[in-house]
Amino acid sequence: MEQTSVRTHWSSRWAFMLVTIGSAVGLGNIWKFPFMTGTNGGSAFVLVYLACIAAIGVPLLMAESMLGRRGQSNPVGTMRSLADEAGASRAWQVIGLIGILGSVLILSFYSVVAGWVLDYTLRAVEGFQGMDKAALGAAFGDLLASPGRLILWHSLFMVLSAGVVLGGVTGGIERANKIMMPALFAILLVLLGYGAVAADLSAAFRFLFHFEPQAISGKVVLAAMGHAFFTLSLGMGAIITYGSYLGREVSIPRTSLVIAGADTLVALLAGLSIFSFVFAQGLEPAAGPGLILQTLPLAFAGMPGGHVIGVLFFVLVVFAAWTSAISLIEPATSWLVEHLGWSRRAAVLSLAGLIWLLGIAVALSFNAWEGFKIFGLGLFDLFDALTSKFLMPVAGLLIAVFTAWVMKREHVREEIGLSGGAFALWFTVVRYVSPVAILLIFLHVIGLLG
Ligand code: PFF
């Protein structure tokens, strides 16, 4: 009896950590973090990003998991029952609805980028030998200029993602995750090692960690805060949904720290390796979204065993993107099923169909529809900015306010499983620090704070 309960405890804690790390670790860490660091001036961005992870990201990751476990439903249903429990307005359901809207927008461009990685997986099989930086730059340009290829790969990725959600999140994906995530980590270490010997790791280190507070600007701060939300999958209902599967015996604070730690470590490892090659090869750190695709193939072309390692790397990145994509479809699916009474099949197929169509528009924004801009942005940049720089922080702000101002403090304390000073610290951060930080950043960006 004793043994059974211990085993159950471990397996559920492990499963939650696994799927949540699967959601958190994705293109955000390996593709987006390096390119955003490059376009936002390096260390200034990294410094603010780390501060946002600590002051906003981890506390809200804990809050969202706690809301999910207490609400036991999809993001909209969870917010409704928690609002009822607190005697507050059901308008708080808007948190769940923002998440559903945001997930659809995110996946429509995320899937196109995952498509790039699929394309590069095939190229890695052929090998990058003999390609120099000019050839790689041209190759990425060719991909963007080709709507057919972009749409084909995006479609394949959507089929893969919808397929898993259709069957329910299977044991297979979880089991594969257990092997794939450590393998990705190991390959990043190999790349880092190779970067240290054959490229310029110390330049990468300076670029990421040189203390340069004067380079911090409003633009950098908003970008870094948005990225902290994106990389931890916050504000989109994913964590609330996964939290609803959490056993009562699991320590939310401890697992949240592990998840955020693993996520941050993967981003920093990816950043260090990529910039080692960027500086050694005289590439442009601010190259933008194509950065890793124009950089890492050079490393694979030069390193011993690079052919195999290159293929493995891209396969693992596809996998990391896949487990994140699942967490972007599952919350809206459960909402359609539980609230509107749709069958799981109808829900997944309609959602995936909608996202697929939007993704086609995103793919065309690189070529045929290049001239089509809203607020001066193409669809790809627009969906990215709208979600990371607006919807996610707004949802985060509302979650912080709901948790620390609307819910009964006793309920929060009981559910989060903290007591004494630790509870007081976390609660104070969620009550004051996180919401005030988000608000100040917004006010600054819209120009109200000079
Ligand atoms: N955290 C994922 C990444 O870094 O790639 C992206 C993501 C997944 C964002 C799920 C939001 C989400 F709900």
Side-chain angles (χ1 to χ4, degrees), residues 172-399:
I173 260 274
E174 274 184 29
R175 230 170 298 133
N177 226 344
K178 267 188 214 171
I179 305 167
M180 297 282 209
M181 285 296 163
L184 180 62
F185 194 75
I187 290 212
L188 284 174
L189 287 179
V190 170
L191 273 175
L192 190 69
Y194 182 65
V197 201
D200 201 344
L201 183 59
S202 62
F205 214 86
R206 266 197 311 282
F207 185 64
L208 294 190
F209 299 118
H210 179 66
F211 189 65
E212 218 182 3
Q214 72 283 4
I216 296 173
S217 66
K219 172 181 155 268
V220 168
V221 174
L222 182 65
M225 173 177 73
H227 189 63
F229 276 97
F230 187 86
T231 195
L232 290 180
S233 305
L234 295 176
M236 296 289 100
I239 304 296
I240 292 185
T241 307
Y242 283 178
S244 71
Y245 307 135
L246 248 183
R248 298 219 53 86
E249 72 288 359
V250 175
S251 158
I252 288 179
R254 220 175 311 144
T255 41
S256 300
L257 283 174
V258 173
I259 292 160
D263 185 77
T264 308
L265 196 60
V266 171
L268 294 178
L269 284 179
L272 279 172
S273 357
I274 286 157
F275 285 108
S276 304
F277 299 108
V278 166
F279 292 118
Q281 303 275 350
L283 294 162
E284 173 53 59
L291 183 68
I292 70 162
L293 302 176
Q294 287 162 279
T295 309
L296 288 184
L298 282 177
F300 298 135
M303 71 201 278
H307 197 159
V308 177
I309 294 180
V311 175
L312 266 178
F313 174 80
F314 285 113
V315 168
L316 292 170
V317 175
V318 168
F319 202 87
W322 194 9
T323 52
S324 302
I326 293 165
S327 76
L328 285 162
I329 308 180
E330 178 65 23
T333 301
S334 59
W335 174 65
L336 289 173
V337 170
E338 289 165 16
H339 275 256
L340 302 185
W342 294 21
S343 70
R344 189 168 182 87
R345 198 180 160 77
V348 174
L349 292 180
S350 326
L351 271 170
L354 172 68
I355 296 167
W356 179 68
L357 287 176
L358 284 171
I360 290 180
V362 169
L364 293 175
S365 75
F366 291 108
N367 37 69
W369 295 357
E370 208 176 3
F372 177 71
K373 309 257 184 225
I374 301 177
F375 303 125
L377 298 174
L379 279 190
F380 177 80
D381 295 320
L382 180 74
F383 287 179
D384 177 20
L386 186 63
T387 48
S388 285
K389 295 183 180 165
F390 184 67
L391 291 178
M392 295 177 123
V394 167
L397 177 63
L398 293 175
I399 286 167

